[in-house]
């Protein structure tokens, strides 16, 4: 089958070539009904203008950039994999591709932006974190480059600063709040919190949800003694959980699955002798540790964990970014709107959105329970 | 600082504009010494021809495609993350970018190739598996599109078929062979093998290394009884290990860390009563399970595992693919060779290469040892 051309499409639709060209390059000049008819025919005929020629004309590469952060933590890094898959799929459905790059620092990231805009003509970027006065977002905004951030722009006091760029985030405090409520429902009251020792607004957010739920349950007196920070590793979690156990915690909410895994192993040792004063762990001990991120490690060991809706976050990021790209291009005279995101242009997506996670409740594998020895 | 142009570079180097243009577009016309001098100046000046114009002229997008497979197994999927990072970094060092796409099937993957070649002008593809008579590799070869495969082209009999496309793979049999030798050195002789029930040449390869090492050690009599297939899950590993334990296995080599995790938990239960006839597990029991892929789960639990050199594989894939792209382009008159891969053009990389994995020996966390109850 010969590839459709501007001329063959015009003939088929009984319109002028100029009309087809206008639909591609200056859609505002075409009556909506005609525009929709031509767009539908273009989509179904699979008409593809030569990529490089189109890129020269439209200054649109249909290509979005993402810096691939090094996997700093093997266990929690798994959600990045899910995020990347969802991002790629959502971009593809919207007619965009995803280009990956690496950078050593924020400064290097900016140099990469520059090069990807100059050499590859990328249309916009997904950032996986941002801070107020972030040199990267400032650079992108000054240049007028569309971008969207996964993560809230925290200020130094742990508040979300009011910036006008698009962001999507997951409400970590709501996640730990839900985890506390689940443990309360299981009969626990001395519910500890095991967080990261490294300062991080994300970590502070997660701690705040635990504290809020404890105070709401009238358990505010436990808040100072039962909160502990540890290095974000399995060993850090094991040691931290031992100390929280000595302070009387019978359950723990953790900032990560690494910490939770360490805590789980410690709690299995502590449970019969220290906590339950008996040989047979009761059923409530099973779900007494809640991790964060619902990683494969948590699933494999039957560890409860707060699950981030990373797929929803990825889809929303693509929705809001492709909308920005379309609006950005709309100011240029020779614009080619993305055909498949026509609906998104009519109803602009929310520019800043906070998604709610949920707790996946699991029963740990009973394999290594001390009672079986 | 004004952006360098062809004219400013020529002036700076005291050569003609035509010479600079030839270095970019027809380097064979320029004397090697001059070519290297101009290339160095181009690189240090950061001269970047307009991307779209260059793409039109050179028919090179400096962009390589990779289909992102869905994460089928959370635990073992972690190595894909490392692979992707290494691939992105190696591509970037060679002056290329990586474009991700998704596909539902091999047929859909071919449609995506077509579109990515037509619309985005990609230079080549990385495939993460291939079979003989693979419709995807046939399509790419017929079209003359450069590609390289991570994985050997297995035929139906578990042999590697002789194809002439580039591939890189990891010698799974060498990995399980090393695992058996480690366990033999620890004093084990009844070493079981826990493989995948689903037919797979990769799984058969891993089983063959175990069998080879057992026969070489004069333990061929154990081979039929101590080999078991199970569903590639933690539960499958736990059940399979229980049966292998009843058959007298004191150590096990597994096709995946999912199976190994299940086996580890079972062995912890079996060790004192069934295997060692005592309460105190000896030191040899610690490393008696070896998984495959050295995932974060294995690292977190202190599980020994066969580590694939995925970073080396990724780097070699980029080396061989960018060489193919350069050779492919060299037949075109208006070619722009990749400046940074000049060395690679002089010394062609091996077209097909098998890398050797190694066993990471670990002591499992003693936290849930039955002796502590």
């Amino acid at each position: 089958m010969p590839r459709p051309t501007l001329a063959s499409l015009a003939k088929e639709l009984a319109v002028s070539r100029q009309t087809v060209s206008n639909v591609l390059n200056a859609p505002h000049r075409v009556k909506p009904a005609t525009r929709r008819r031509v767009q539908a025919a273009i989509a179904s005929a699979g008409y593809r203008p030569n990529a490089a020629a189109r890129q020269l004309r439209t200054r649109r590469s249909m290509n979005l950039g993402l810096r691939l952060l090094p996997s700093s933590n093997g266990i929690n890094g798994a959600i990045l994999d899910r995020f990347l898959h969802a991002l790629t799929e959502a971009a593809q459905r919207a007619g965009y591709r995803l280009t990956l790059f690496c950078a050593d620092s924020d400064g290097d990231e900016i140099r990469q932006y520059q090069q990807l805009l100059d050499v590859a003509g990328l249309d916009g970027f997904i950032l996986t974190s941002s801070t107020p006065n972030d040199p990267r977002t400032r650079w992108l905004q000054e240049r007028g480059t569309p971008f969207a951030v996964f993560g809230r722009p925290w200020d130094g006091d742990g508040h979300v600063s009011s910036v006008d760029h698009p962001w999507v985030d997951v409400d970590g405090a709501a996640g730990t709040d839900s985890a506390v409520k689940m443990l309360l429902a299981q009969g626990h009251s001395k519910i500890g919190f095991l967080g990261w020792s490294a300062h991080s607004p994300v970590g502070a957010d997660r701690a705040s949800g635990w504290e809020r739920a404890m105070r709401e349950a009238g358990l505010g007196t436990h808040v100072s003694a039962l909160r502990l920070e540890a290095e974000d590793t399995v060993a850090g979690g094991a040691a931290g959980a031992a100390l929280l156990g000595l302070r009387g915690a019978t359950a723990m909410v953790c900032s990560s699955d690494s910490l939770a895994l360490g805590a789980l192993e410690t709690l299995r040792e502590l449970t019969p002798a220290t906590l339950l004063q008996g040989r047979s762990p009761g059923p409530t001990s099973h779900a007494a540790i809640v991790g964060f991120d619902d990683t494969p490690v948590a699933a494999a060991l039957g560890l409860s964990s707060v699950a981030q809706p990373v797929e929803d976050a990825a889809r929303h990021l693509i929705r809001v970014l492709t909308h920005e790209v379309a609006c950005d291009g709309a100011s240029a005279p020779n614009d080619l709107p993305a055909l498949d995101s026509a609906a998104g242009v009519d109803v602009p997506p929310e520019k800043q959105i906070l998604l709610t996670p949920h707790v996946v409740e699991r029963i740990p594998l009973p394999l290594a329970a001390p009672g079986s020895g």
Side-chain angles (χ1 to χ4, degrees), chain A residues 218-302:
Chain A
L219 299 166
T221 48
H222 295 322
V223 162
S224 61
L226 295 186
R227 175 177 172 174
L228 210 68
E229 267 84 41
E231 201 196 350
D232 188 19
T233 60
V234 176
L243 184 51
L244 282 177
L246 290 178
R247 292 184 188 169
T250 63
M252 291 163 210
V253 176
C254 304
S255 267
S256 74
D257 278 355
S258 304
L259 288 169
L261 172 59
L264 179 71
E265 297 288 2
T266 296
L267 210 69
R268 279 173 168 169
E269 288 194 280
L270 290 177
T271 298
T274 315
L275 301 178
L276 297 179
Q277 313 292 338
R279 296 282 308 161
S280 169
T284 59
S285 75
H286 279 151
I289 301 286
V290 184
F292 209 105
D293 273 351
D294 194 29
T295 62
V297 172
L301 297 178

Side-chain angles (χ1 to χ4, degrees), chain A residues 338-364:
Chain A
L339 295 179
D340 4 29
S341 64
V345 175
D346 293 337
V347 185
E350 283 185 81
K351 200 168 176 183
Q352 301 177 337
I353 194 170
L354 196 57
L355 303 171
T356 305
H358 72 281
V359 184
V360 178
E361 188 172 357
R362 293 197 182 89
I363 310 297

Side-chain angles (χ1 to χ4, degrees), chain A residues 20-60:
Chain A
V20 180
S21 176
N22 279 346
V23 167
L24 287 168
N25 299 310
H28 57 279
R29 296 194 200 143
V30 186
K31 269 186 288 183
T34 310
R35 190 175 69 209
R36 277 191 290 270
R37 196 162 65 91
V38 175
Q39 282 174 339
I42 287 170
S44 83
Y47 170 76
R48 286 187 292 261
N50 175 280
R54 191 179 82 167
Q55 189 174 335
L56 272 178
R57 193 180 67 243
T58 64
R59 296 181 286 155
R60 203 59 88 61

Side-chain angles (χ1 to χ4, degrees), chain A residues 149 151-153 160-161 163 165-169 317 351-354:
Chain A
V149 180
R152 280 162 280 179
V160 177
S161 61
V163 294
H165 69 242
W167 56 253
V168 179
D169 203 0
L317 281 165
K351 200 168 176 183
Q352 301 177 337
I353 194 170
L354 196 57

Side-chain angles (χ1 to χ4, degrees), chain A residues 91-146:
Chain A
Q92 191 157 315
R93 272 196 300 273
Y96 285 80
R97 293 174 302 283
L98 210 62
T99 288
L100 298 182
F101 65 99
C102 304
D104 299 330
S105 62
D106 284 357
D108 187 30
E109 188 166 345
I110 291 173
R111 282 187 293 276
Q112 300 287 346
Y113 292 156
Q114 176 86 59
Q115 192 169 351
L116 288 164
L117 290 166
D118 286 357
V119 177
L122 292 209
D123 295 330
F125 295 93
I126 301 277
L127 279 69
T128 48
S129 69
S130 144
T131 49
N133 296 317
D134 190 319
R136 303 166 308 156
T137 54
R138 210 167 51 229
W139 189 90
L140 290 166
Q141 284 189 299
E142 280 168 10
R143 233 190 107 112
T145 302

